């Protein structure tokens, strides 16, 4: 086992030098490494070097940490810290880079992407393969191959010609010639003297290639200025007609820098405007009230059964347009509210043969809750949902249109982006609203849009409204800003009090929220690890996107305060955790989120208007509701009148059709008069009273039943009037008796036809009773809200981390500790199989000597495992021992032990 005095020879040995806190930080930031739990540290190191895991880790680095990894990929293997510093800071030694590099390197070390002491830094092999330049996958640095790599297939004679043309003495072999040429290109003064003799056109060629791509095309007979460069090795051939600028030459021309622009400091989130916090909160509360009204109106519109489900799933374009018209909203906004109601479990498909969308039973329970609690449920569903309504109308990778409520809308990055955007807003002063571009710039710094090794970060296809160059995370951020405003999480672009509470940020954190968004980021500013719970100042998996998840100061912030004892040198030479506070989890647990949502509801409740029990009746047959109405009053008005306009006050209009609708629902004229008198702060206007009486007098005068259909009336003059009316021709009526007409139309068509002619017929049953028509609420069977699609394995909690580390330590101890020689010892160090007698004897001896055993064990389900135990006693066919793997005392049946070996001391 390696010690700090002995440099590690592999990543596994480097991991063995770490303490438990450092291993926990690694597993928290890369949870895929413990899915399932590795048997020992060697297997953990192997898993940490697999392509999928490395790609995932690289994609969660901030821009400066990623640039550091890219610089190591083009440096020597191993490289010294001074060499890395030269590649990052250049010959001028940029002070910001110098200050930020130790923390970026500490992040890479903690992520197990870099290991080794400062004089022998090694990037894990898979990361080097992904980031190193090649003709197929150019490096983000724009650098080409080294002289040694570019001349690998060149003839010895040609190499000697280049050495001579460059003014160097000939050597006896190609290896020394390449070394001599490399030494020339890396010597600043000698290289400067060589380029001073170059033609002006040659220098122009080098300047065009210096920042990449480093490859160029030449003819079979290159021009003289190109021939001058090729003869001296400043351009080296890689294929017929293709030359490349060697890495050493490019670095000299770049003054030693691997990147044209390094970004050691996170861009600040700039406040575009500042409002009083009270204005922000009241504006957000108004938006929250509108959000509730919109969702209620949507579900009321679908109450009797909504649109049909397409065969491929989802809502058709025609139905989405119809819903948008009914809500008086644009189609993208209507799609957002539909998806939000679905995410909250308020609507779903009914599962019938003729499948339709409808409200769920949970919708009825939701309606009975106070308004603030209803809003909290919607906001919580939005915050955690992976379904993304902004994708509706776009196309997937197979060029299929993405529809609302359809498949293909889940984006696992959506919850994390929403948390991060709101966290950046929480880091601004109260009432400050940021500019969208500064938020996007910050997110791009925290998670650069790239695909390691050519792997694409997203496969969402083309989307409507996507701005040029916008990656998925940028679009998600734009949608988050607009959706949060519509939902009332923000007001006038600033995070509201209820929005902060929803994230788990209490009142004490309103002015001192971690994850400071302005000024280049304090501790945790770049998605870092020191942020408040919920979202502020966090990013990625436990804050990996800026400075790692272990609580390291932000790798991008040279001004972040730090204890000198925290870092032992420029590159944190000892890869041992320094016991910084662990980063908080990325998301609140369900219980914590419920508490946060309840707190948000309590803050919102006083800002919402109280439901009213009255309206103001006006002489123009309208009623004005000066605020939200109590539910029984609102439901009755929806039947008795039509909504004419909405806003702060809702205007209802009474029409003959709306009054007839109330009468059809079983209300009498006296019921309507009593209702209006009880709920109006103004006297019932005479025109409205006349309207109700007039419609009621004519309502039911005509009776319609099923023959096909018939019309019955005690006044034969009315029937004669109907027959004489030319508009009744389509109903094909004929008189059966003085008071009865028969029709060849069905009863529903007959009802509609006579109402269009100005009559007020009523349907009757087979027994002759008036049929009361009430809206039939269609409900789906009980449905659960859709589960979010996780972005990889979940971040492990402290209990799982502790158990996993114990198991890994115990397995590593078993695999690395020498076995005592016995007659049953395996020659290759594997656990031998032992007989029952040998097992009993070995265990009894360990009880007497206090030794430690390595056992193979099969549980009652047949699962085999290996454990390291210290036996305490043996009796009744059982051994009681301290299990190092589980860190507790356990009892094992001896007949389930498949093999045993005694570990050597030390």
């Amino acid at each position: 086992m390696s010690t700090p005095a002995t440099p590690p020879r592999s990543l596994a040995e480097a991991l063995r030098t770490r303490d438990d806190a450092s291993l926990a930080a690694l597993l928290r930031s890369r949870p895929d490494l413990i899915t399932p739990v590795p048997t020992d540290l060697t297997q953990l190191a192997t898993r940490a070097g697999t392509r999928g895991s490395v790609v995932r880790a690289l994609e969660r680095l901030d821009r400066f940490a990623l640039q550091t990894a890219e610089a190591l990929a083009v440096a020597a293997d191993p490289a010294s810290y001074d060499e890395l510093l030269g590649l990052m800071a250049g010959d001028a030694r940029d002070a910001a880079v110098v200050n930020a590099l130790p923390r970026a390197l500490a992040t890479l070390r903690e992520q197990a992407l870099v290991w080794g002491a400062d004089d022998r830094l090694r990037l894990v092999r898979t990361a080097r393969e992904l980031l190193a330049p090649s003709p197929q996958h150019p490096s983000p640095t724009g650098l080409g191959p080294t002289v040694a790599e570019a001349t690998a297939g060149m003839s010895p004679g040609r190499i000697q010609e280049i050495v001579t043309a460059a003014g160097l003495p000939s050597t006896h072999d190609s290896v020394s010639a390449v070394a001599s040429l490399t030494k020339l290109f890396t010597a600043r003064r000698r290289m400067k003297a060589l380029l001073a003799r170059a033609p002006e056109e040659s220098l122009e060629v080098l300047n065009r290639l210096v920042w990449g791509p480093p490859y160029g095309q030449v003819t079979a007979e290159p021009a003289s200025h190109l021939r001058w460069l090729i003869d001296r090795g400043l351009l080296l051939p890689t294929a017929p007609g293709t030359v490349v600028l060697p890495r050493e030459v490019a670095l000299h021309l770049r003054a030693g820098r691997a990147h044209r622009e390094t970004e050691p400091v996170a861009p600040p989130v700039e406040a575009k405007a500042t409002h009083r916090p009270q204005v922000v909160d009241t504006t957000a509360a108004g938006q929250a009230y509108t959000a509730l009204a919109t969702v209620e109106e949507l579900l009321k519109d679908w109450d009797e059964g909504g649109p049909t489900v397409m065969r491929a799933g989802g809502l058709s374009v025609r139905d989405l347009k119809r819903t948008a018209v009914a809500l008086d909203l644009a189609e993208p906004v209507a799609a957002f509210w539909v998806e939000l109601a679905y995410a909250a479990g308020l609507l779903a498909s009914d599962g019938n043969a003729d499948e339709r969308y409808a409200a769920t039973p949970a919708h009825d329970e939701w309606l009975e809750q106070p308004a603030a609690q209803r809003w909290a449920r919607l906001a919580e569903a939005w915050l955690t949902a992976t379904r993304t309504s902004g994708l509706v109308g776009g196309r997937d990778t197979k060029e299929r249109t993405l529809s609302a409520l359809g498949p293909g809308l889940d984006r696992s990055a959506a919850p994390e982006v929403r948390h991060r955007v709101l966290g950046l807003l929480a880091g601004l002063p109260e009432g400050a609203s940021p500019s969208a571009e500064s938020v996007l710039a910050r997110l791009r710094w925290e998670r650069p849009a790239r695909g390691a090794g050519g792997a694409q970060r997203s496969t969402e296809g083309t989307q409507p409204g996507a701005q040029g160059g916008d990656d998925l995370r940028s679009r998600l951020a734009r949608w988050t800003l607009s959706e949060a405003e519509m939902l009332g999480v923000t007001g006038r672009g600033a995070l509201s009090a209820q929005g902060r509470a929803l994230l788990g940020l209490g009142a004490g954190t309103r002015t001192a929220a971690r994850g400071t968004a302005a000024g280049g980021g304090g501790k945790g500013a770049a998605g870092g690890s020191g942020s408040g719970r919920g979202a502020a100042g966090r990013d990625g998996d436990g804050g990996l996107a800026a400075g790692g998840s272990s609580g390291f100061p932000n790798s991008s912030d040279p001004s972040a305060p730090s204890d000198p004892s925290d870092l032992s040198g420029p590159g944190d030479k000892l890869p041992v955790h320094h016991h910084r506070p662990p980063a908080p989890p990325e998301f609140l647990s369900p219980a914590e989120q419920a508490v946060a949502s309840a707190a948000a509801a309590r803050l919102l409740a006083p800002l919402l208007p109280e439901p009213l029990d009255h309206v103001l009746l006006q002489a123009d047959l309208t009623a004005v509701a000066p605020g939200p109405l109590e539910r029984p009053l609102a439901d009755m008005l929806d039947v008795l009148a039509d909504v004419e306009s909405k806003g702060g006050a809702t205007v209802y209009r009474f029409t003959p059709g709306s009054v007839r609708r109330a009468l059809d629902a079983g209300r009498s004229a006296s019921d309507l008069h009593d209702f209006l008198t009880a709920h109006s702060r103004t006297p019932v206007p005479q025109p409205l009273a006349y309207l109700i009486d007039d419609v009621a007098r004519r309502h039911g005068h005509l009776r319609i039943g099923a023959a096909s259909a018939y019309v019955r009336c005690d006044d034969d003059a009315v029937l004669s009037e109907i027959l004489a009316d030319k508009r009744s021709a389509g109903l094909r009526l004929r008189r059966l008796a003085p008071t009865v007409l028969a029709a060849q139309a069905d009863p529903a068509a007959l009802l509609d036809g006579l109402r269009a002619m100005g009559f007020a017929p009523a349907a009757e049953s087979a027994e002759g009773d008036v049929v009361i028509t009430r809206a039939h609420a269609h409900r789906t069977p009980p449905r659960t809200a859709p589960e979010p699609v996780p972005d990889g394995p979940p971040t492990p909690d402290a209990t799982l981390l502790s158990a996993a580390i114990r198991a890994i330590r115990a397995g590593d101890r078993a695999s690395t500790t020498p076995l005592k020689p016995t007659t049953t010892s395996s020659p290759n160090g594997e656990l031998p199989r032992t007989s029952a007698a040998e097992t009993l004897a070995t265990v009894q001896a360990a009880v007497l000597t206090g030794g430690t055993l390595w056992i193979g064990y099969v549980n009652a389900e047949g699962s085999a495992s290996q454990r390291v135990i210290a036996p305490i006693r043996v009796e009744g066919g059982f051994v009681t021992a301290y299990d190092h793997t589980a860190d507790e005392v356990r009892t094992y049946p001896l007949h389930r032990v498949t093999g045993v070996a005694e570990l050597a001391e030390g």
Side-chain angles (χ1 to χ4, degrees):
M1 181 180 295
S2 299
T3 66
T6 304
R9 295 168 298 176
S10 66
L11 177 58
E13 291 189 4
L15 293 178
R16 289 190 181 100
T17 65
R18 295 191 178 195
D19 60 10
D20 287 354
S22 182
L23 283 180
L26 168 63
L27 299 179
R28 188 183 299 110
S29 60
R30 297 178 66 180
D32 57 295
L33 299 183
I34 57 170
T35 309
V37 177
T39 57
D40 53 30
L41 288 171
T42 300
Q43 189 178 90
L44 176 64
T46 302
R47 194 175 295 175
T50 58
R51 182 183 179 89
S53 182
V54 170
V55 168
R56 184 178 177 83
L58 290 175
E59 289 180 343
R60 280 156 178 75
L61 293 175
D62 64 58
R63 191 181 300 278
F64 186 65
L66 183 60
Q67 287 180 329
T68 303
E70 291 166 352
L72 277 173
V74 298
D77 187 25
S80 67
Y81 181 83
D82 289 338
E83 182 181 352
L84 174 62
L85 181 61
L87 289 171
M88 293 299 295
D91 296 343
R93 289 297 192 264
D94 186 343
V97 174
V98 171
N99 292 333
L101 185 59
R103 293 180 177 84
L105 184 57
T107 298
L108 296 176
R109 270 198 172 108
E110 187 174 82
Q111 303 299 314
L113 295 173
V114 171
W115 58 277
D118 279 352
D119 58 342
R120 295 181 63 82
L121 296 172
R122 292 183 182 273
L123 190 66
V124 294
R125 183 179 62 183
T126 307
R128 178 174 288 273
E129 293 172 353
L130 291 169
L131 299 176
S134 68
Q136 294 78 21
H137 301 291
S139 169
T141 62
L143 294 170
T146 62
V147 173
E149 293 169 346
T151 58
M154 191 175 292
S155 66
R158 177 59 185 148
I159 294 176
Q160 293 297 334
E161 291 176 3
I162 293 175
V163 169
T164 303
L168 299 173
S170 300
T171 62
H172 60 281
D173 59 19
S174 298
V175 175
S176 57
V178 170
S180 177
L181 197 61
T182 301
K183 189 175 181 180
L184 168 65
F185 291 163
T186 54
R188 291 286 189 265
R189 270 187 288 183
R190 294 171 61 192
M191 190 64 177
K192 186 176 181 180
L194 176 63
L195 293 177
R197 302 193 300 269
E200 192 68 26
E201 295 87 348
S202 300
L203 296 178
E204 291 178 2
V205 172
L206 295 179
N207 289 334
R208 287 199 299 269
L209 298 177
V210 63
W211 292 110
Y215 295 91
Q217 301 295 319
V218 296
T219 61
E221 294 295 331
S224 59
H225 63 281
L226 293 176
R227 173 56 63 188
W228 191 94
L229 296 172
I230 295 172
D231 289 345
R232 288 156 182 79
L234 298 174
L235 292 179
L236 293 172
T238 59
T242 303
V243 293
V244 67
L245 181 68
R247 188 180 305 170
E248 295 85 352
V249 177
L251 288 174
H252 172 81
L253 297 172
R254 297 178 177 193
R257 289 180 295 160
H259 299 87
R260 173 175 284 186
E261 294 181 2
T262 54
E263 299 183 55
V265 178
V269 177
E270 301 169 350
K272 177 178 61 176
T274 303
H275 313 278
R276 289 189 299 112
Q278 294 81 357
V279 173
V280 170
D281 293 345
T282 53
T283 303
Q287 290 296 113
Y289 169 71
T290 303
L292 292 176
T294 303
V295 174
E296 290 178 20
E297 185 177 357
L298 166 68
L299 295 173
K300 186 181 297 182
D301 187 50
W302 292 9
D303 197 54
E304 299 182 49
T308 58
V309 181
M310 293 194 302
R311 181 179 300 177
L315 203 61
S316 68
V317 175
R318 179 180 300 174
D319 287 329
L320 179 60
K321 288 181 178 179
R322 187 180 297 115
T323 301
V325 171
L327 298 177
D328 193 21
L329 297 171
E331 290 178 36
V333 179
F336 166 70
W337 295 116
V338 169
E339 283 289 343
L340 180 60
Y342 176 64
L346 304 181
L347 69 83
S349 59
D350 57 14
N352 296 334
D354 182 18
E355 197 171 14
R356 309 178 73 87
Y357 290 107
T360 63
H363 166 247
D364 299 315
E365 300 173 4
W366 178 75
L367 285 177
E368 298 302 321
Q369 296 175 345
Q373 293 182 18
R374 284 185 278 135
W375 175 86
R377 178 166 177 174
L378 293 179
E380 181 180 338
W382 169 75
L383 190 63
T384 59
T386 55
R387 292 187 63 84
T388 309
S389 64
L391 299 172
V392 173
R395 295 185 178 275
D396 61 12
T397 53
K398 297 182 179 180
E399 290 301 312
R400 294 174 299 195
T401 301
L402 298 171
S403 58
L405 301 178
L409 294 184
D410 283 292
R411 295 295 181 268
S412 54
E416 182 264 322
V417 172
R418 293 191 191 108
H419 277 82
R420 185 60 191 134
V421 169
L422 296 181
L424 292 176
L425 269 61
L428 291 172
E430 288 187 60
S433 60
S435 64
E437 291 307 318
S438 66
V439 172
L440 297 181
R442 180 61 165 269
L443 290 179
R444 292 189 190 105
W445 185 91
E446 292 176 353
R447 292 282 185 87
R450 62 175 301 279
Q456 295 298 319
R457 290 183 57 87
S458 62
T459 57
E460 69 276 8
T462 57
Q463 305 302 334
Q467 300 188 13
D470 265 6
D471 60 297
L472 175 61
R473 286 178 61 86
S474 296
R475 292 202 296 278
L476 288 173
R478 292 183 187 275
W479 296 331
T480 296
L481 291 172
S482 62
E483 291 168 1
E485 191 74 15
M486 288 190 293
L487 193 54
V489 176
T490 60
R492 299 197 178 186
L495 190 63
S496 63
Q498 58 266 26
R500 292 177 187 272
L502 186 69
L503 298 176
L505 303 177
T509 61
R510 293 192 59 161
T511 57
R514 297 176 185 176
T516 303
K523 194 169 185 176
S529 46
S531 59
R533 292 188 65 82
R538 280 203 304 277
D539 189 66
D541 292 340
L544 169 59
S549 62
S550 68
F552 273 62
N554 181 359
S555 65
S556 69
D557 182 14
S559 64
S562 61
D563 188 334
S565 64
D566 282 351
L567 299 176
S568 57
D572 193 11
K573 297 178 181 179
L574 296 179
V576 179
H577 192 77
H578 297 286
H579 303 286
R580 301 175 178 86
E586 173 61 17
F587 300 114
L588 299 178
S589 67
E592 292 169 333
Q593 187 61 66
V595 172
S597 299
R602 286 194 298 271
L603 290 174
L604 177 63
L607 303 176
L608 292 176
E610 290 292 334
L612 303 177
D613 62 352
H614 65 273
V615 294
L616 304 176
L617 296 178
Q618 302 185 110
D620 60 350
L621 297 181
T622 60
V624 177
L629 300 177
E630 292 180 347
R631 186 155 306 282
L633 175 57
D635 291 343
M636 184 58 194
L637 274 179
D638 284 338
V639 176
L640 181 56
D642 298 323
V643 176
E644 188 169 79
S645 65
K646 295 178 292 185
T650 304
V651 178
Y652 296 87
R653 178 165 293 281
F654 298 95
T655 65
S658 67
V659 174
R660 179 194 51 76
R661 188 167 62 232
L663 296 173
D664 286 344
R667 301 286 183 174
S668 64
S670 59
D671 292 337
L672 300 183
H673 285 300
D674 292 342
F675 170 79
L676 294 175
T677 302
H679 293 93
S680 175
R681 287 291 178 88
T682 59
V684 178
Q686 194 176 51
L688 179 56
Y690 285 169
L691 174 65
I692 293 174
D693 291 339
D694 183 58
V695 174
R697 185 173 55 256
R698 294 184 292 114
H699 183 265
H701 195 50
L702 295 176
R703 300 292 185 89
I704 294 177
S708 289
Y710 64 84
V711 181
R712 182 171 65 84
C713 183
D714 295 336
D715 188 351
D716 58 352
V718 174
L719 297 184
S720 299
E721 179 185 350
I722 293 173
L723 287 173
D725 196 322
K726 294 182 178 180
R727 292 176 294 177
S728 67
L731 301 176
R732 302 174 68 184
L733 298 169
R734 61 188 178 87
R735 191 186 293 270
L736 297 180
T739 58
V740 179
L741 297 179
Q744 296 187 20
D746 61 83
L750 187 54
L751 277 168
D752 293 338
L754 292 179
R755 285 169 181 167
M757 294 167 61
F759 297 96
E764 70 177 14
S765 65
E767 292 77 20
D769 299 324
V770 174
V771 177
I772 297 175
T773 56
R774 292 190 179 95
H776 173 66
H778 179 63
R779 294 291 180 264
T780 69
R783 294 280 193 265
T784 57
E787 289 292 332
V789 178
D791 184 17
T795 302
D797 57 21
T799 303
L800 177 58
L801 284 176
S802 178
I805 291 173
R806 287 198 305 269
I808 293 171
R809 292 283 192 200
D812 197 62
R813 180 180 179 185
S815 63
T816 57
T817 303
L819 304 180
K820 286 187 176 181
T822 63
T823 56
T824 59
S825 297
S826 175
N828 55 5
E830 296 179 354
L831 180 66
R833 296 187 66 86
T834 55
S835 64
E838 291 171 334
T839 298
L840 179 61
T842 304
V843 171
Q844 289 175 333
V847 172
L848 297 176
T849 61
T852 303
L853 301 181
W854 180 22
I855 67 170
Y857 181 74
V858 179
N859 63 13
E861 287 75 29
S863 300
S865 62
Q866 295 183 356
R867 300 174 178 273
V868 177
I869 65 172
I872 299 173
R873 64 176 179 272
V874 181
E875 58 184 5
F878 292 85
V879 54
T880 301
Y882 174 76
D883 190 333
H884 291 275
T885 307
D887 195 21
E888 63 182 7
V889 175
R890 290 186 175 181
T891 300
Y892 298 99
L894 286 174
H895 69 276
R896 293 192 178 278
V897 177
T898 59
V900 62
E902 190 173 1
L903 300 179
E905 297 295 333

